[in-house]
Amino acid sequence: MKHYRHSLFPSTSRPRGTMVFRLADSLRTAWCRLAAIGRLLSAVTTLPLIAHAEVARPNFIFVIADDHRWDAMGVVQREQGDKARFPWFESPAMDRLAAEGVRFRQAFVVHSICSPGRAAFLTGLYNHVNGITNNHTPFPEDSVTHATLLRDAGYRTAYFGKWHMGNQKGRPGFQHSASFINQGIYQDCPFQINGEMVQTKGWVDDVSTDFAIEWLKQNRDAAKPFSMVLGFKSPHNRRGGANLPERLRELYAGETSRPVPNLKVPAIYHKPDPETGEYPRGLADNAVHLDYLRHIKGIDENLGRLLDTLDELKIADDTVVVYTSDNGYFLGEHGCGDKRALYEESLLIPFLVRYPREFPKGLVVDEMVLNIDLAPTWLDLAGLPARPEMHGVSWKPLAAGNKPADWRQSFLAYYYKDLGDTPTCVGVRTTTAKLVHYHGKPEFTEAFDLAKDPYETRNLAKDAAFTKPLRAELNRLAAEYEYQLPPEAVVTGP
């Protein structure tokens, strides 16, 4: 097996797939020419047909938060009842999306860290192929993404807010951008607007939304659809206090988060303090939770502003809106903070979809969807052919209320060590179980029966009968996706 880095589809370094990529490019070119002929014929016959044809091509808005865990939404807290950690938390805009569209309850990332999560959404590819396996590598300029493919098909593309990808300037594939470098700052953040640095005033997620709304107002023309990404900085770390807008700094004062069963079950790689014997607690403090949710409340307010703008512009019915996050997040589970691991809290993300013209209201879907599925879904909804090299699959039928007979029953996930003490690992997650292999640390192997133990408190790694099919599935997926460790991956031996 070969490992391909940085350039997604180079003409020389990937000879085995060259004919496939050329064929895909030829098909896309042919499709575009046929579409152009169709538009010309429509123009010759009757003008109303032009408007009808263009309405069939939806607009796209992809809203991605940073470090937003799957259950930090009011609709999920109400659903969980007595098991809810934050039963007092409310998110009316996210709840509105769920009520007016589709909520995927089993949505995951394949590599739980910021830049890799975002790159997977853009490319539809696993990170060992798309070249982004850490937070400091710039996104390859020649990457084929949903933005480049929609742009080439006549869409207007724009990017607002957080991008990350190291200190990269410019937003490959997007014709317009107003975005900050690396992590930016919460207050008065400098933005790069189409290559020019501009000082802004105010809370960064308010400012990003202001830019996005202004662009929407200028680009609402139904004759040419758009695809827009809005990236929120929240609820990334350095939270609370002056990093919040004043309106949110005292919100939830006096509230308390509830405990969960895995708070005192340390991650397998954690070591006790040599003096006290205590294991790390991670982000288990209630004050941390309150600030975390205050930031999410702020982005919910901005999501609401965005939805209201679509209503005001009368384009809501023609616009696909997705709200999600680049990865999950720990708030003390397994003694963890942040997201660098393969436990459920790290992999699970919120995933809300609304498209009034095609998707029903209030639908809840429990089939597993991944961040690599977004790009092929965008193409599918736009009527464009799928790129054969993409690893993801379109969830359009699921969102429409149908379940394909061959929908995935498992997926490959991994993490490459950078910050913290989580070793490099790779695993398989099925609909009911999980197996995690730590490179160079066989004694750390973990296996969980998620149907019986959803909080992952009982390691079944020594149960040969339980782990055998999981090992076979892990090997199958690794072969299917030509998985091997990237050269830059840090592996700690025994």
Side-chain angles (χ1 to χ4, degrees), residues 85-102:
R85 290 200 73 186
F86 327 107
W88 33 266
F89 182 66
E90 296 178 342
S91 56
M94 296 172 198
D95 294 2
R96 175 186 171 186
L97 268 187
E100 296 178 355
V102 182

Side-chain angles (χ1 to χ4, degrees), residues 330-442:
F330 293 109
L331 290 177
E333 299 89 352
H334 298 288
C336 293
D338 206 58
K339 60 270 186 178
R340 292 164 165 84
L342 296 186
Y343 295 118
E344 290 292 276
E345 294 83 7
S346 181
L347 294 175
L348 275 165
I349 53 174
F351 205 84
L352 307 172
V353 182
R354 188 187 73 177
Y355 183 25
R357 290 206 181 276
E358 289 203 25
F359 300 156
K361 293 183 177 181
L363 180 65
V364 175
V365 176
D366 284 330
E367 279 68 42
M368 296 191 299
V369 297
L370 309 176
N371 54 355
I372 57 175
D373 295 335
L374 183 83
T377 304
W378 261 204
L379 299 177
D380 190 7
L381 288 167
L384 293 168
R387 297 286 293 199
E389 67 277 4
M390 286 182 175
H391 298 138
V393 292
S394 171
W395 40 252
K396 177 183 174 182
L398 292 177
N402 304 310
K403 179 183 176 181
D406 58 349
W407 193 257
R408 71 167 59 90
Q409 299 297 300
S410 64
F411 69 92
L412 183 74
Y414 43 68
Y415 165 75
Y416 304 123
K417 180 177 175 59
D418 60 344
L419 302 177
D421 56 359
T422 311
T424 291
C425 51
V426 61
V428 58
R429 207 280 194 188
T430 73
T431 56
T432 59
K434 181 187 293 179
L435 175 71
V436 181
H437 168 70
Y438 292 85
H439 291 281
K441 291 284 187 180

Side-chain angles (χ1 to χ4, degrees), residues 223-238:
K224 194 172 184 181
F226 62 81
S227 181
M228 184 188 85
V229 178
L230 172 57
F232 291 128
K233 176 175 171 61
S234 292
H236 193 264
N237 63 10
R238 299 187 179 180

